[in-house]
Amino acid sequence: MGDHELKLLGMWASPFVLRARLALSFKGLSYEYIEEEIFGNKSALLDKSNPVHKKVPVLIHKDKSICESQIIVEYIDEVFSGTGPSLLPVDPYDRAVARFWAAYIDDKLFSLFMMMIKGKTTEDKAKGRRHSFAVAETLEGALKGCSKGKSFFGGDNVGFLDIVLGGFVAWVHTRDILSRSKQFDAGKTPLLAAWLERFCALDATKAVMPDVEKLVELSKMRQARDDAAAAAVSQSN
């Protein structure tokens, strides 16, 4: 697969961009990666490629744009079915179950991550953290059911759900460092804790994983900015 056929518009810290990069990595596909300045002046290419939401990631394949990370993963798996491992389950029921849990991850886990990062008060952030542990316990059951006792959600090999949840692993490590606690605790969610270690140890994962130390610094910088903004509002009242 030539680089000219596949391009990925992204932002290095985005878990959704990482999700697309993981799919491309596990499928063994080469592509051109284009870093976007999503908090400043967005490129004309991004505006053109995703005119509705103007967000990353966007996969461009032969000048056709595919948006939204889960859709991108499914597209990659379907279009390049003869390349690398299959990501989506073959069985229609198993596929439906995988899509259900993928939607759950984006609906529950992401929203709680945002609460932990952008909560207006310390109490809000702590509440997000508590609720995220409950979500982790639910995902522990999902892993047990989907893996059928094997190493990954996809069974013996990484599959669709591993990629979907895998997009968040760098931020899981980041939040662990900042909160000094484990999101996937071996005592409460032993299957997820073991999954996290196995998934992060894979070469295809390590090839695209962002630097956690940089994510920690980014989080601290955003927190300082938000605190300064809140202080300015408080002083003006």
Side-chain angles (χ1 to χ4, degrees), residues 110-148:
F110 177 67
S111 63
L112 291 172
F113 265 40
M114 294 307 294
M115 185 184 294
M116 287 186 277
I117 294 170
K118 293 189 173 183
K120 293 183 178 180
T121 66
T122 301
E123 184 179 343
D124 286 342
K125 293 177 181 180
K127 182 179 178 180
R129 188 73 177 172
R130 288 195 304 272
H131 287 181
S132 73
F133 289 134
V135 170
E137 290 178 9
T138 300
L139 289 176
E140 176 87 350
L143 175 56
K144 183 177 181 180
C146 294
S147 68
K148 299 178 175 63

Side-chain angles (χ1 to χ4, degrees), residues 186-216:
K188 296 179 180 178
T189 53
L191 297 180
L192 273 177
W195 170 86
L196 180 65
E197 185 174 345
R198 281 192 298 269
F199 185 79
C200 290
L202 296 172
D203 289 340
T205 301
K206 290 189 285 188
V208 295
M209 192 63 56
D211 187 333
V212 171
E213 290 185 5
K214 288 178 64 178
L215 289 175
V216 170

Side-chain angles (χ1 to χ4, degrees), residues 51 55 59 61 81 84 86 89 99 101 103 110 115 118 132 144 158 173 176 179 184 237:
K55 293 181 179 179
L59 182 72
H61 180 216
S81 58
S86 178
R99 286 169 174 148
W101 286 115
F110 177 67
M115 185 184 294
K118 293 189 173 183
S132 73
K144 183 177 181 180
V158 165
H173 288 308
D176 286 352
S179 66
F184 298 155
N237 290 338

Side-chain angles (χ1 to χ4, degrees), residues 76-97:
I76 289 168
D77 196 41
E78 292 173 4
V79 172
F80 304 102
S81 58
T83 303
S86 178
L87 299 177
L88 282 159
V90 175
D91 180 79
Y93 175 75
D94 290 341
R95 258 197 324 270
V97 170

Side-chain angles (χ1 to χ4, degrees), residues 11-23 26 57 69-70 73 102 105-106 109-110 113 117 139 153 158-175 184 195-196 199-200 204-205 208-212 215:
M11 186 269 182
W12 69 273
S14 166
F16 302 107
V17 173
L18 177 57
R19 182 180 287 170
R21 299 196 75 174
L22 284 166
F26 277 97
S69 62
Q70 286 194 32
V73 174
I105 289 167
D106 280 0
L109 192 60
F110 177 67
F113 265 40
I117 294 170
L139 289 176
F153 284 94
V158 165
F160 177 67
L161 266 182
D162 297 286
I163 298 293
V164 170
L165 184 57
F168 289 102
V169 297
W171 278 104
V172 167
H173 288 308
T174 300
R175 300 314 304 172
F184 298 155
W195 170 86
L196 180 65
F199 185 79
C200 290
T205 301
V208 295
M209 192 63 56
D211 187 333
V212 171
L215 289 175

Side-chain angles (χ1 to χ4, degrees), residues 117-120 125 219-237:
I117 294 170
K118 293 189 173 183
K120 293 183 178 180
K125 293 177 181 180
S219 293
K220 290 179 178 178
M221 181 182 69
R222 287 180 175 175
Q223 184 62 59
R225 180 194 62 195
D226 292 344
D227 289 346
V233 171
S234 177
Q235 290 173 4
S236 65
N237 290 338

